[in-house]
C-alpha cells in the first residue's frame, strides 16, 4: 500500500522514502507492546520470531490459512513468510531475532514439528537474501545434522534387526554441539533398565565407526510415549489403555510404578507400589526440584495420588491413581512449563549480551587497527556505525573499550586522555 502511494503520488521521492522507512522502524520497534522493557517477551524481534514459529510449526493451520482464498497452503505460507521478512528488515535488534529463531527452529527439527521442509527452506532462503550467508549457515548445518541422523538411525535399525535388545521404537538425533543451542543436562538421571538397554546398544553401534566422538545424551529435551493401563478403567481404555506423551524425566518416574503388587511382592496395595519422595529421588537420581515439579504435574493430571490431599510435597507418599479416567485416549503431559520458558528466555538474554560484548570489542579492534588512533567521541560514533546487527549502547561501548585497555589491545594517550591508540 505505502509502496504504491510512494510510487504513484510521489514518484519514488528518495527523501520521503527514507522518512517512511524511519517511521516504520520506529513504530515496529517502539510501539506500546515493545516499550515494556521489563517484559522480554514483548521485544519486537522475539515477537516476530514467535510468529514465524507459529507459521512453520505443525498444529497451527489457522494461522497459515489467513492468506488469499483459493491459494494453496504452501502459497499462503510463502506469502506470509515474505511479509514477516518485510517486518524483519525494520528490526533494530537482528541478533535477538536470530537467537530466538534458532531456538524455535531447533525445537521444530528435533521434535519433528515442522509443517514442511519446503517452508523451512523458504524461510532460510529469505533470511539469506536479506542478511547473508553468515546468518543462515548455522541453520543449514542444523538441517544437515538432521539428515545425517536419519540415515544413521536407519543403519542402526538394519544392523540390529536380529540382535536388538529392546522391543519398542527408539529414535535419536546426533547433533553437532557447536551448531545447536542446546545445553548439557544440569541433573543426573538413572535411566530405567528398559531404556538403558537401547542406549547402550546404540552407543556401541555409534562408536564402531566414530570412536573419537563423544555422545552426550540430552535427556531434558527427549520425549517418550508410554501406554498405561489402570485397573478401574472402563470402555475402550480398559483394553487399549491410555497413551501418554511424557518427558524422559517423567518416564523414569512412571517406570518405578511399573511393578507387580499384592501379597508376596512387597507392595500391599493392589493399585501398585507406594513410594516416598526420597525413594523416587534415590531411584532416578534426579534433582529434588525436578522430581517435585514432575510429581506435581502427575497429581494435577490425576495420574497419581498423594497422601497429602493430592498435593506434591517432599513428605508425601505416592501411588498411581487406579481410577484414572479421561475422555482423551492420548494425553500430553510433557508440555513446556512456564518456569522453564522463563529460564530459557533469561539464558537467551545472557547469551545475546555475551555475543554483543564480543561484537563490540571486535568492531573496536577493526576500527583501531585501520585508524591507529582515535578520539573518544569518534571511536564511539565509528563503532555505532560499524555494527549492523543491533544498536549498541554508549555505556556498552565504553565498557568494551575499558576491557580492551585491560587486555592490552588499546592504550590511552599520556597527554590526551580521551585519545586512544591501537597496540599491535
Amino acid at each position: 500500500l505505502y509502496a504504491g502511494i510512494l510510487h504513484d503520488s510521489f514518484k519514488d521521492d528518495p527523501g520521503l522514502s527514507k522518512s517512511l522507512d524511519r517511521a516504520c522502524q520506529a513504530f515496529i520497534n517502539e510501539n506500546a507492546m515493545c516499550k515494556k522493557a521489563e517484559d522480554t517477551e514483548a521485544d519486537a524481534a522475539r515477537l516476530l520470531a514467535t510468529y514465524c514459529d507459529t507459521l512453520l510449526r505443525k498444529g497451527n493451520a489457522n494461522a497459515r490459512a489467513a492468506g488469499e482464498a483459493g491459494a494453496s497452503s504452501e502459497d499462503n505460507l510463502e506469502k506470509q513468510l515474505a511479509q514477516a521478512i518485510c517486518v524483519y528488515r525494520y528490526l533494530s535488534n537482528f541478533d535477538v531475532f536470530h537467537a530466538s529463531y534458532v531456538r524455535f527452529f531447533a525445537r521444530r527439527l528435533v521434535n519433528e514439528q515442522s509443517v514442511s521442509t519446503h517452508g523451512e527452506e523458504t524461510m532460510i532462503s529469505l533470511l539469506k537474501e536479506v542478511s547473508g550467508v553468515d546468518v543462515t549457515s548455522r541453520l543449514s548445518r542444523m538441517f544437515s545434522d538432521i539428515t545425517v541422523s536419519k540415515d544413521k538411525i536407519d543403519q542402526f535399525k538394519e544392523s540390529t534387526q536380529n540382535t536388538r535388545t529392546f522391543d519398542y521404537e527408539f529414535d535419536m538425533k546426533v547433533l553437532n554441539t557447536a551448531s545447536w543451542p542446546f545445553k548439557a543436562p544440569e541433573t543426573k538421571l538413572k535411566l530405567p533398565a528398559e531404556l538403558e538397554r537401547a542406549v547402550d546398544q546404540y552407543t556401541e553401534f555409534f562408536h564402531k565407526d566414530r570412536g573419537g566422538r563423544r555422545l552426550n545424551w540430552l535427556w531434558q529435551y527427549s520425549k517418550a510415549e508410554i501406554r498405561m493401563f489402570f485397573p478401574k478403567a472402563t470402555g475402550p481404555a480398559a483394553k487399549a489403555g491410555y497413551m501418554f506423551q511424557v518427558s524422559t524425566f517423567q518416564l523414569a518416574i512412571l517406570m518405578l510404578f511399573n511393578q507387580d503388587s499384592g501379597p508376596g511382592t512387597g507392595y500391599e496395595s493392589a493399585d501398585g507400589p507406594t513410594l516416598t519422595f526420597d525413594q523416587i529421588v534415590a531411584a532416578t537420581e534426579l534433582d529434588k526440584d525436578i522430581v517435585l515439579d514432575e510429581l506435581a504435574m502427575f497429581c494435577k493430571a490425576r495420574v497419581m495420588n498423594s497422601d497429602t490431599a493430592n498435593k506434591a510435597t517432599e513428605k508425601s507418599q505416592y501411588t498411581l491413581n487406579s481410577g484414572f479416567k479421561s475422555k482423551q485416549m492420548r494425553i500430553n503431559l510433557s508440555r513446556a512449563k512456564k518456569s522453564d520458558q522463563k529460564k530459557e528466555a533469561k539464558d537467551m538474554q545472557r547469551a545475546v549480551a555475551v555475543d554483543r560484548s564480543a561484537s563490540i570489542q571486535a568492531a573496536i579492534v577493526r576500527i583501531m587497527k585501520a585508524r591507529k588512533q582515535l578520539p573518544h567521541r569518534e571511536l564511539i560514533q565509528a563503532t555505532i556505525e560499524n555494527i549492523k546487527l543491533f544498536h549498541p549502547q554508549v555505556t556498552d561501548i565504553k565498557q568494551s573499550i575499558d576491557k580492551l585497555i585491560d587486555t592490552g589491545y588499546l592504550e590511552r594517550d599520556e597527554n590526551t586522555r580521551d585519545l586512544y591508540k591501537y597496540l599491535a
Side-chain angles (χ1 to χ4, degrees), residues 219-230:
W219 300 118
Q220 72 272 34
Y221 303 111
S222 304
K223 294 184 180 181
E225 288 190 344
I226 180 172
R227 190 180 300 277
M228 296 180 63
F229 296 86
F230 295 87

Side-chain angles (χ1 to χ4, degrees), residues 92-329:
S92 59
N93 297 318
F94 292 109
D95 57 340
V96 175
F97 175 87
H98 298 159
S100 299
Y101 187 84
V102 163
R103 281 166 168 74
F104 287 131
F105 181 67
R107 292 293 176 87
R108 290 198 300 273
L109 292 186
V110 167
N111 296 325
E112 299 180 357
Q113 290 182 329
S114 292
V115 67
S116 70
T117 300
H118 175 72
E120 299 289 3
E121 291 175 342
T122 298
M123 186 62 182
I124 292 175
S125 178
L126 291 171
L127 284 172
K128 186 176 179 179
E129 288 179 12
V130 177
S131 299
V133 71
D134 290 343
V135 170
T136 59
S137 59
R138 183 181 185 183
L139 302 177
S140 298
R141 290 196 302 271
M142 292 164 69
F143 241 138
S144 178
D145 281 353
I146 293 297
T147 302
V148 172
S149 285
K150 287 180 179 177
D151 294 339
K152 201 70 178 174
I153 191 62
D154 289 341
Q155 294 172 19
F156 171 68
K157 290 179 179 178
E158 184 178 350
S159 66
T160 59
Q161 191 170 7
N162 299 320
T163 60
R164 193 172 300 176
T165 58
F166 52 95
D167 58 356
Y168 51 85
E169 287 296 318
F170 180 68
D171 180 52
M172 77 298 298
K173 295 173 176 63
V174 181
L175 313 175
N176 190 324
T177 303
S179 301
W180 293 75
F182 297 144
K183 295 168 51 178
E186 298 177 353
T187 178
K188 293 181 180 179
L189 171 63
K190 182 174 176 56
L191 294 173
E194 295 84 351
L195 180 56
E196 192 170 21
R197 288 196 295 270
V199 171
D200 290 344
Q201 190 165 17
Y202 183 80
T203 302
E204 182 181 356
F205 163 80
F206 180 83
H207 287 307
K208 282 182 179 179
D209 61 344
R210 297 190 180 188
R213 299 285 186 92
R214 180 181 176 185
L215 280 179
N216 293 316
W217 295 87
L218 307 184
W219 300 118
Q220 72 272 34
Y221 303 111
S222 304
K223 294 184 180 181
E225 288 190 344
I226 180 172
R227 190 180 300 277
M228 296 180 63
F229 296 86
F230 295 87
K232 297 180 183 179
T234 58
K239 293 183 178 181
Y242 292 99
M243 181 67 77
F244 288 94
Q245 295 170 292
V246 296
S247 68
T248 308
F249 294 162
Q250 292 172 332
L251 176 67
I253 295 172
L254 288 173
M255 291 300 288
L256 298 178
F257 294 86
N258 190 35
Q259 305 289 338
D260 292 332
S261 60
T265 64
Y267 301 111
E268 294 182 1
S269 172
D271 294 337
T274 298
L275 300 177
T276 66
F277 176 83
D278 290 336
Q279 285 175 319
I280 295 172
V281 171
T284 60
E285 297 184 7
L286 290 167
D287 288 350
K288 289 186 175 182
D289 290 343
I290 293 176
V291 172
L292 199 59
D293 284 346
E294 302 299 0
L295 290 173
M297 169 72 77
F298 291 144
C299 289
K300 183 178 180 180
R302 302 296 180 183
V303 175
M304 282 188 186
N305 291 327
S306 76
D307 62 350
T308 51
N310 222 33
K311 301 292 184 182
T313 72
E314 294 188 15
K315 303 296 183 183
S316 304
Q317 292 186 333
Y318 302 89
T319 187
L320 289 179
N321 177 15
S322 61
F324 175 83
K325 292 182 180 179
S326 174
K327 294 181 180 179
Q328 297 176 319
M329 299 297 289

Side-chain angles (χ1 to χ4, degrees), residues 65-79:
E68 295 180 357
S72 69
S73 58
E74 288 289 353
D75 290 341
N76 281 338
L77 178 59
E78 288 185 14
K79 184 175 181 180

Side-chain angles (χ1 to χ4, degrees), residues 1 19 44 87 99 144 163 172 224 297 341 393 422:
L1 173 63
S19 297
V87 176
S144 178
T163 60
M172 77 298 298
M297 169 72 77
Q341 292 174 334
Q393 300 297 316
Y422 177 71

